[in-house]
């Protein structure tokens, strides 16, 4: 099967590439190992200053990370690696009795600044950017407050539509956050869980 589309979906998959409104493609030539029947999706946040910057960074040949998709805050999508090619997003990872999950998964990066620091009344991202209070999600974890960059409604809607298309085209069994497959990472964080419930 070389193409698939869901009735009323704005996206389809043609030759292992996402097509539709708001989808662009970049070339990530460093990724060449074939991926046969990916059966899980791993969600990440970029912790970068914008989807374009994150996508360009991930395609650089000197960077040992990549992803299949980057979904911007305005719902625009950039595909870096075809879905039948392994991307380097999971790193050292374990889930459901398997390790090395790059070999089995599609990696989706969401444009989001992640965990924020509160300093002198300002919410500051790891990259140094100040996040306005209306974009901050406050999470209470056993009485300890943490602050996270909110995901946008249109971004989450795009993510859900993309996952629906991927689940119909590939034998996807699990959609997990990066933090579920390694203790080294905290993304995509509780702000995404909250956004998905809204």
């Amino acid at each position: 099967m070389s193409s698939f589309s869901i009735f009323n979906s704005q996206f389809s998959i043609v030759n292992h590439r996402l097509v539709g409104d708001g989808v662009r493609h970049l070339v990530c030539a460093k990724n060449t190992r074939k991926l046969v029947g990916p059966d899980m999706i791993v969600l990440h946040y970029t912790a970068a200053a914008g989807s374009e910057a994150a996508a360009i960074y991930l395609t650089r040949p000197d960077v040992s990370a990549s992803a299949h998709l980057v979904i911007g805050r305005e719902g625009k999508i950039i595909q870096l690696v075809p879905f039948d090619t392994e991307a380097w997003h999971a790193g050292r990872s374990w889930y459901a009795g398997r390790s090395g999950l790059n070999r089995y998964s599609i990696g989706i990066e969401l444009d989001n600044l992640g965990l924020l620091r509160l300093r002198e009344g300002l919410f500051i991202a790891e990259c140094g950017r100040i996040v306005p209070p209306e974009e901050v999600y406050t999470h209470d974890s056993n009485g300890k407050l943490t602050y996270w960059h909110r995901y946008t409604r249109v971004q989450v809607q795009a993510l859900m539509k993309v996952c629906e298309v991927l689940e119909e085209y590939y034998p996807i069994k699990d959609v997990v956050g990066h933090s579920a497959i390694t203790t080294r990472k905290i993304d995509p964080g509780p702000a995404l869980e909250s956004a998905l419930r809204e």
Side-chain angles (χ1 to χ4, degrees), residues 118-136:
L118 177 59
R119 190 170 61 202
E120 298 177 4
L122 298 175
F123 298 100
I124 304 170
E126 187 178 320
C127 66
R129 190 172 133 205
I130 295 172
V131 176
E134 62 271 16
E135 291 185 22
V136 176

Side-chain angles (χ1 to χ4, degrees), residues 142-162:
N142 298 322
K144 181 183 178 191
L145 297 181
T146 54
Y147 307 98
W148 302 80
H149 194 200
R150 285 190 183 276
Y151 294 86
T152 68
R153 181 178 298 269
V154 67
Q155 180 180 38
V156 172
Q157 288 171 341
L159 170 65
M160 291 190 300
K161 289 175 184 173
V162 166

Side-chain angles (χ1 to χ4, degrees), residues 47-60:
S51 57
E52 187 78 22
I56 290 169
Y57 175 79
L58 290 169
T59 60
R60 284 176 28 187

